[in-house]
Amino acid sequence: MRNTRGFKVYRGVVLAVLGVFTVIPLYAMATSSLKPLRDVQNSFTWWPTSPTVAPFVDMWSTVPLARYFVNSIIVATVATAASVLLAILAAFAVSRFSFRGRSVFTTTVLSTQMFPGVLFLLPLFLIFVNINSSTGIQLVGSRTGLIITYLTFSLPFSIWMLVGYFDTIPRELDEAAMVDGCGPMGALWRVVLPAARPGVIAVAIYAFMTSWGEVLFASVMTTDANRTLAVGLRQYSTQTNIYWNQIMAASLVVSIPVVIGFLLAQKHFVAGVTAGAVK
């Protein structure tokens, strides 16, 4: 496609408009986090009249943010690790082996993405309650139950994307590894996975971001002791006041792990998504 002057101007205008829509909310969040509460509650100003870092200090004592932070890190990390591991094994089996029900399995995995997540909330809750009543294993109100919940909607997409990525890796690499004495699992871990590193990183980023910012299931499946950040931010709103400056400050702090992780793995993420999307 030829980049004419008119097209370049049009592209620049569109990117500028999108940039404005992206930067202004972030700027408003950053400036509001540096204002006293009375200034945030008054008319909006583009620059803090009395800049202060007190909201970044007070946000840790207003609500148990550190505990929510630890809960989110544990849940998101474990859910990501489990999702990546299970997705690798399942995708390798679908990509490299022919077995009865293979097409049914892939179709079922992909069809789960057609339904909204809220549709699974009540069934999962009832399943966890029945498991507790029959075995005594507490899943509702625990990190374990929340991790299992996140696997139900991050794992299908992870399997689907890794299957597409594994299909782009020549089977001759597997055969060469088996000639050297590796079995199927040895070929997977020593040959296929190093070649599929961008796809694995893309899946890991997707699973982590999904678990880190999820609100609906976390609000139902957790208690105050194991509440995550996405739900814990609501605690800044009380019956008597809403600490908008602390909400903005906490929102900035909460986004730091995801932003840093995405920036560090951006190249692999883009490569993994584009290669796994087509065959």
Side-chain angles (χ1 to χ4, degrees):
M1 182 177 179
R2 184 180 178 182
N3 289 335
T4 62
R5 183 176 181 180
F7 176 77
K8 292 180 180 179
V9 173
Y10 172 76
R11 181 176 59 185
V13 171
V14 172
L15 291 177
V17 172
L18 293 177
V20 169
F21 275 99
T22 303
V23 171
I24 287 181
L26 295 177
Y27 176 80
M29 180 186 298
T31 55
S32 298
S33 66
L34 297 173
K35 296 177 181 179
L37 182 59
R38 64 179 182 275
D39 291 348
V40 180
Q41 293 174 337
N42 294 331
S43 300
F44 176 77
T45 56
W46 288 100
W47 187 256
T49 56
S50 303
T52 176
V53 295
F56 288 93
V57 178
D58 297 337
M59 68 180 186
W60 300 99
S61 57
T62 303
V63 302
L65 190 66
R67 184 173 65 199
Y68 298 158
F69 207 98
V70 172
N71 290 335
S72 290
I73 290 178
I74 293 175
V75 170
T77 303
V78 175
T80 299
S83 180
V84 170
L85 178 61
L86 295 176
I88 288 173
L89 298 176
F92 182 74
V94 172
S95 176
R96 290 299 193 262
F97 300 103
S98 297
F99 52 89
R100 186 186 299 272
R102 179 175 179 269
S103 60
V104 175
F105 174 78
T106 54
T107 303
T108 302
V109 167
L110 189 58
S111 64
T112 58
Q113 304 302 302
M114 299 170 54
F115 304 100
V118 66
L119 193 65
F120 302 99
L121 179 59
L122 183 58
L124 281 173
F125 183 82
L126 294 177
I127 290 173
F128 288 169
V129 170
N130 290 330
I131 290 176
N132 183 31
S133 61
S134 59
T135 64
I137 300 176
Q138 181 70 32
L139 293 178
V140 177
S142 67
R143 294 172 181 165
T144 303
L146 191 59
I147 291 169
I148 295 173
T149 301
Y150 288 159
L151 285 176
T152 60
F153 49 84
S154 66
L155 189 57
F157 179 81
S158 300
I159 293 174
W160 175 76
M161 190 163 69
L162 279 182
V163 167
Y165 199 93
F166 285 166
D167 286 344
T168 64
I169 300 175
R171 294 177 180 267
E172 287 76 10
L173 293 178
D174 304 41
E175 298 171 356
M178 293 180 183
V179 170
D180 290 338
C182 292
M185 295 302 297
L188 169 63
W189 298 112
R190 298 181 182 180
V191 178
V192 177
L193 273 187
R197 184 173 59 179
V200 175
I201 292 176
V203 167
I205 293 176
Y206 166 78
F208 186 87
M209 293 178 65
T210 302
S211 303
W212 186 262
E214 200 278 327
V215 176
L216 177 62
F217 288 88
S219 62
V220 177
M221 298 291 186
T222 60
T223 61
D224 186 65
N226 46 54
R227 187 166 290 150
T228 58
L229 282 171
V231 180
L233 292 178
R234 297 186 307 181
Q235 303 303 310
Y236 289 104
S237 175
T238 65
Q239 294 181 349
T240 58
N241 208 348
I242 301 178
Y243 300 94
W244 290 110
N245 54 348
Q246 296 184 35
I247 292 177
M248 299 302 175
S251 298
L252 289 175
V253 173
V254 166
S255 63
I256 289 176
V258 176
V259 172
I260 292 177
F262 182 81
L263 292 178
L264 293 176
Q266 181 181 8
K267 182 188 300 183
H268 298 290
F269 179 76
V270 174
V273 170
T274 54
V278 296
K279 296 183 182 180

